[in-house]
Amino acid sequence: MKEMQEIQETLAIIKPDGIKNAIKIIEMIYKAGLTVKKYEVRMLDEEILKEHYSHLTDKPFYPKLESYMLSGEVILMILEGKNAVEKLRELMGPTDSTKAPKGTIRGEFGTDITYNAIHGSDSELSAINEINRFFNKKQKRI
Ligand code: UDP
Ligand code: MG
């Protein structure tokens, strides 16, 4: 019989404000049944952020979001596991950290709707595109 849930990959980014709690965040990720397949610590730049947040560049808060994401190094991670996309989103909690329950990453380590410690792909297609964007620059993007 076919497995009900397939092994998936998803992209997580521990944002600059999450770095000081990175060990605890990674521990939560493993406890949720996901593993880190690949990781890289680096600074992002304006260009890749404009692509990554292309759905938000015309929002009034975009300049604040950009300077936040450029304020320090991030940890880019490819996570792997059953139902990884949804599992990570659940573990993160909602965008607004003040509304995120305790026990979620944003509930524990985020501050507000901007400074929310972590990014996670929101669908299987976004995960493929984002993994390609951050880890495989030279390949054609979907
Ligand atoms: N964000 C913000 N103000 C808002 C909404 C979003 O600063 O009103 C930031 C926040 O850091 C969020 C990111 O923009 O994580 C991307 O927004 P999105 O709606 O995609 O939320 P996410 O998928 O990260 O929960
Ligand atoms: Mg999003």
Side-chain angles (χ1 to χ4, degrees):
M1 209 172 98
K2 200 175 178 285
E3 279 269 320
M4 291 295 288
Q5 294 175 320
E6 297 200 6
I7 300 289
Q8 280 181 340
E9 287 183 354
T10 191
L11 182 88
I13 306 176
I14 300 182
K15 298 180 177 184
D17 62 324
I19 290 285
K20 59 184 178 295
N21 292 304
I23 290 173
K24 289 180 196 154
I25 292 171
I26 293 165
E27 194 178 7
M28 287 168 79
I29 287 169
Y30 273 84
K31 281 189 174 151
L34 300 174
T35 57
V36 178
K37 199 176 168 194
K38 208 170 186 182
Y39 75 94
E40 197 182 322
V41 184
R42 71 167 206 248
M43 293 291 295
L44 300 179
D45 60 42
E46 283 93 342
E47 196 190 337
I48 204 161
L49 277 173
K50 281 204 174 71
E51 232 182 79
H52 177 61
Y53 286 134
S54 61
H55 60 301
L56 299 174
T57 46
D58 58 352
K59 301 277 190 223
F61 61 80
Y62 187 74
K64 186 179 170 191
L65 172 60
E66 188 185 72
S67 59
Y68 159 46
M69 293 299 292
L70 296 176
S71 66
E73 289 181 317
V74 300
I75 305 177
L76 300 161
M77 299 186 289
I78 300 175
L79 305 184
E80 187 182 66
K82 279 185 191 167
N83 210 15
V85 173
E86 205 184 311
K87 214 176 249 179
L88 175 63
R89 292 291 298 197
E90 272 175 27
L91 180 64
M92 284 163 47
T95 309
D96 186 348
S97 306
T98 65
K99 299 199 169 85
K102 283 284 158 204
T104 65
I105 293 171
R106 286 169 166 171
E108 297 291 334
F109 306 118
T111 307
D112 57 27
I113 198 168
T114 299
Y115 299 89
N116 58 11
I118 189 163
H119 166 82
S121 308
D122 63 8
S123 68
E124 230 178 319
L125 183 59
S126 304
I128 292 165
N129 286 332
E130 292 179 357
I131 288 168
N132 228 2
R133 175 172 303 132
F134 288 98
F135 282 93
N136 229 345
K137 278 191 199 161
K138 286 184 187 120
Q139 279 186 19
K140 197 167 181 281
R141 290 171 193 136
I142 294 167

